[in-house]
Amino acid sequence: MLSKAKIKLIQSLELKKKRREESLFVAEGPKVVGDLLPYFTCRMLVATADWLGGHPFLQADEIIEVTNEELRKASFLKTPQEVLAVFELPSPFLPTDIAQETLCIALDDVQDPGNLGTIIRIADWFGIKHILCSVGTTDAFSPKTVQATMGAIARVRVHYVDLPQYLSSVRSRTPEVPIYGTFLEGGNIYKESLSVNGIVVMGNEGNGIGWQVAKHVTQKLLIPSYPEGSTGSESLNVAIATAITCSEFRRR
């Protein structure tokens, strides 16, 4: 039975403070839960009889069979999707000098959970394993963001750092590592030379990359609009811009 205390715990995990206190987060739906089960420790799995019947070899500390109505009481979704799981948050671990070896994304105060979730999916698609987030970026383990990742958060590590300080450290320790950023005054991304490693900084939805971060960027890039000189949208959605940028880096 899904007790009131367990429902209260699940609902409390909508708040970042509670997620940090409990070291737990919530995922919902067959796709997302199925992708996360091999990667994260599952503290509690709440599911309908039909879903459990199709998954006989589950590993979870506690498995609770519920009706659709009981699941609805715990779910964050308008239409619950058969299964909800409470997972342990991963331990923070940021490898040293990852930008020397591979391409990373950095996010400067990205606020929208849907945008962050989509960016995590994009990173997963393009084989980017690490995302560096400023402390002002929305939490990757909020229920909305986790759902938006569609399971990609299982394969992409998201790190929260003092981004200006981190980039300053990268430039001091490894000045040969390029730090890219997207700017309206940048060079045309389709004509600039791009490397297979480094850090690509994407900015806030309304303000772009802040000056504290911008001063550490070593190469500014622009995604040009077409036709050149025409009047169109003022800017691209940050997730769309990230997809275009990652695609061009991988194309090279």
Side-chain angles (χ1 to χ4, degrees):
M1 179 180 175
L2 187 62
S3 67
K4 290 183 179 179
K6 287 184 171 65
I7 292 173
K8 184 178 179 180
L9 170 63
I10 292 168
Q11 288 294 305
S12 75
L13 298 177
E14 186 175 18
L15 301 175
K16 181 179 179 179
K17 178 182 177 182
K18 294 301 293 185
R19 290 193 294 274
R20 294 294 176 260
E21 287 177 359
E22 301 289 345
S23 292
L24 300 172
F25 72 97
V26 175
E28 297 192 61
K31 164 65 176 166
V32 179
V33 172
D35 278 3
L36 269 56
L37 278 170
Y39 293 90
F40 298 101
T41 299
C42 184
R43 189 76 64 81
M44 183 197 316
L45 191 140
V46 181
T48 62
D50 286 346
W51 192 88
L52 289 172
H55 301 80
F57 304 110
L58 295 168
Q59 291 190 348
D61 292 350
E62 182 178 13
I63 298 175
I64 303 172
E65 182 180 320
V66 293
T67 64
N68 287 321
E69 182 57 35
E70 288 173 320
L71 183 61
R72 189 172 293 109
K73 293 177 182 178
S75 176
F76 293 102
L77 303 177
K78 290 182 179 179
T79 305
Q81 300 175 14
E82 299 184 281
V83 58
L84 177 153
V86 177
F87 291 101
E88 292 183 6
L89 285 171
S91 300
F93 171 67
L94 179 57
T96 304
D97 298 333
I98 53 174
Q100 280 185 289
E101 303 167 4
T102 186
L103 191 67
C104 307
I105 295 171
L107 303 178
D108 186 23
D109 290 5
V110 169
Q111 297 292 298
D112 184 77
N115 280 337
L116 177 56
T118 302
I119 290 169
I120 294 170
R121 288 182 70 184
I122 290 164
D124 188 35
W125 182 263
F126 286 106
I128 296 170
K129 301 301 182 185
H130 297 277
I131 296 178
L132 307 164
C133 293
S134 67
V135 293
T137 294
T138 193
D139 186 15
F141 289 96
S142 72
K144 288 182 179 179
T145 306
V146 171
Q147 291 309 114
T149 71
M150 290 302 291
I153 200 165
R155 296 173 292 273
V156 177
R157 297 303 300 265
V158 181
H159 313 276
Y160 285 83
V161 298
D162 182 325
L163 194 54
Q165 184 179 49
Y166 182 87
L167 296 178
S168 176
S169 175
V170 168
R171 291 191 66 183
S172 297
R173 288 183 290 105
T174 52
E176 74 280 4
V177 171
I179 300 175
Y180 301 93
T182 52
F183 295 85
L184 292 176
E185 69 274 18
N188 188 327
I189 191 172
Y190 302 117
K191 297 178 181 179
E192 294 287 302
S193 90
L194 305 175
S195 64
V196 296
N197 69 314
I199 299 171
V200 180
V201 183
M202 308 301 296
N204 171 271
E205 290 90 342
N207 302 315
I209 297 172
W211 68 267
Q212 299 96 330
V213 171
K215 66 182 181 179
H216 300 295
V217 170
T218 59
Q219 188 171 348
K220 293 183 177 182
L221 302 173
L222 165 71
I223 301 171
S225 59
Y226 288 92
E228 190 172 344
S230 64
T231 302
S233 296
E234 186 177 287
S235 63
L236 284 171
N237 170 276
V238 64
I240 297 297
T242 302
I244 293 170
T245 302
C246 290
S247 178
E248 186 60 16
F249 269 87
R250 290 313 196 205
R251 188 183 72 84
R252 305 291 179 92

